[in-house]
Amino acid sequence: MPLLTRWVGGTEFKGLPKLKIVANCAAGHDNVDVVAAELRGIKVTNTPDALVDATADLAWALILACARRVVEGTELVRSGKWSGWHPELLLGTELRGRTLGLLGAGRIGQAVGRRAVPFGMRIVYTARNPRPEFERETGAARVELPRLLKESDVLSLHVPAVPETEGIINSDTLGQMKPTAILVNTARGDLIREEALALALEQGRLGAAGLDVYADEPHVHPRLIAAPRIVLVPHIGSATPETRREMARIAVANVHAVLSRRPPLNPVFG
Ligand code: NAP
């Protein structure tokens, strides 16, 4: 059973004539050419439910790191330049009473929203379909994209990377956000035009950004690496032992099902 950690498509399928299933260890399937797989009768599965809590926790790690300038603080201490307590040193953003915006309120978006309640945040979200139970539970309000951009003090991205969402955070939408806002992306790098984000941070038109995912992983845009007030982590949204074990268990269950000629448990098509 080969373990592949990159894009899988027609070329790989040609070299694996007996391939029956690509059991993707991920919530998405944008690293698999599902059309080429379907044409060859290869099943593609994923592990969507296993990653929700770990990824929502990481989104919150990025929100808090940005709000309270944790990485800048670490860098200051490490540099040896910290000269002692000062009332105005590294003042951050207090979350109580602020607005959390969720672009997408599926499994992970809702889990991020639920975690905002004890922080005393107001929640607004966009989704193609309303989420009445989530609204009842958290007091969240469904809004259109322009209002989401305008009102969010923290904007967290939770939609898949599909043609409709590619580059949804660009110079125009960044320009509609508060200059103090925090942008967090634990979804997919293709949602953000990275040059535009770097420019907004460089020019002080955005408060801070926390990123787990990038357009061209593992290459990270050099202007993002150099940008101020940014927290960068290497696609570790689901990186806990519990979640990784559960992802592996689900992937193996899908392989067993397909090799036993049963329908897969988590098909991404068909
Ligand atoms: P999900 O449950 O399928 O929710 C997706 C949300 O996006 C829903 O609100 C959905 O709206 C909306 N959406 C779907 N297609 C859309 C479109 N074409 N245009 C606008 N909105 C659309 O997904 P999830 O499990 O929460 O995952 C969210 C994202 O996190 C995915 O991109 C996934 O790949 C990523 N992820 C990353 C990591 C990591 O390691 N960083 C880990 C897990 C997942 P409706 O329901 O109303 O259709």
Side-chain angles (χ1 to χ4, degrees):
M1 190 158 65
L3 177 68
L4 301 170
T5 57
R6 54 185 162 77
W7 166 257
V8 194
T11 313
E12 288 75 15
F13 298 154
K14 267 188 206 138
L16 297 164
K18 292 189 192 158
L19 187 65
K20 298 270 185 295
I21 173 170
V22 177
N24 201 32
C25 266
H29 49 79
D30 45 330
N31 55 325
V32 183
D33 186 341
V34 290
V35 176
E38 194 166 14
L39 285 173
R40 288 175 169 263
I42 298 164
K43 303 285 182 203
V44 179
T45 63
N46 61 354
T47 63
D49 295 316
L51 300 86
V52 175
D53 283 325
T55 310
D57 286 352
L58 188 81
W60 269 93
L62 292 171
I63 292 170
L64 289 167
C66 289
R68 299 307 302 275
R69 305 176 69 176
V70 172
V71 173
E72 285 167 86
T74 303
E75 282 166 2
L76 181 64
V77 173
R78 284 207 170 121
S79 73
K81 292 184 186 148
W82 179 38
S83 57
W85 191 89
H86 187 279
E88 288 182 12
L89 177 67
L90 289 177
L91 298 183
T93 302
E94 196 147 328
L95 295 176
R96 184 160 299 279
R98 300 277 158 120
T99 298
L100 170 68
L102 302 169
L103 182 74
R107 286 165 285 227
I108 298 170
Q110 290 184 51
V112 170
R114 275 187 226 103
R115 283 158 173 73
V117 175
F119 281 94
M121 295 186 82
R122 170 181 169 258
I123 303 164
V124 289
Y125 74 98
T126 57
R128 295 176 304 182
N129 300 297
R131 300 284 195 271
E133 202 175 318
F134 174 60
E135 292 181 13
R136 268 194 300 279
E137 201 184 331
T138 63
R142 182 165 167 245
V143 299
E144 295 299 323
L145 181 63
R147 214 177 125 193
L148 185 87
L149 296 166
K150 186 166 170 253
E151 294 185 6
S152 296
D153 295 296
V154 175
L155 178 61
S156 194
L157 311 186
H158 303 288
V159 289
V162 289
E164 301 92 300
T165 59
E166 201 196 322
I168 193 164
I169 301 299
N170 52 46
S171 53
D172 173 39
T173 48
L174 284 163
Q176 297 175 51
M177 292 176 66
K178 295 183 185 184
T180 50
I182 294 167
L183 174 69
V184 166
N185 189 10
T186 55
R188 285 292 179 261
D190 286 338
L191 303 178
I192 297 181
R193 294 274 179 255
E194 294 180 337
E195 287 261 351
L197 172 58
L199 191 64
L201 289 164
E202 287 161 11
Q203 296 181 341
R205 290 186 284 106
L206 187 73
L211 306 180
D212 182 42
V213 287
Y214 308 88
D216 184 23
E217 297 178 11
H219 172 79
V220 179
H221 198 295
R223 278 180 69 184
L224 286 181
I225 291 177
R229 305 179 310 287
I230 193 164
V231 178
L232 305 168
V233 293
H235 202 147
I236 52 170
S238 62
T240 68
E242 294 86 347
T243 294
R244 285 288 147 80
R245 265 197 299 274
E246 183 60 5
M247 290 163 75
R249 190 193 64 72
I250 295 171
V252 169
N254 278 300
V255 170
H256 268 173
V258 169
L259 296 187
S260 315
R261 296 198 160 77
R262 284 182 282 116
L265 309 165
N266 309 91
V268 301
F269 61 81

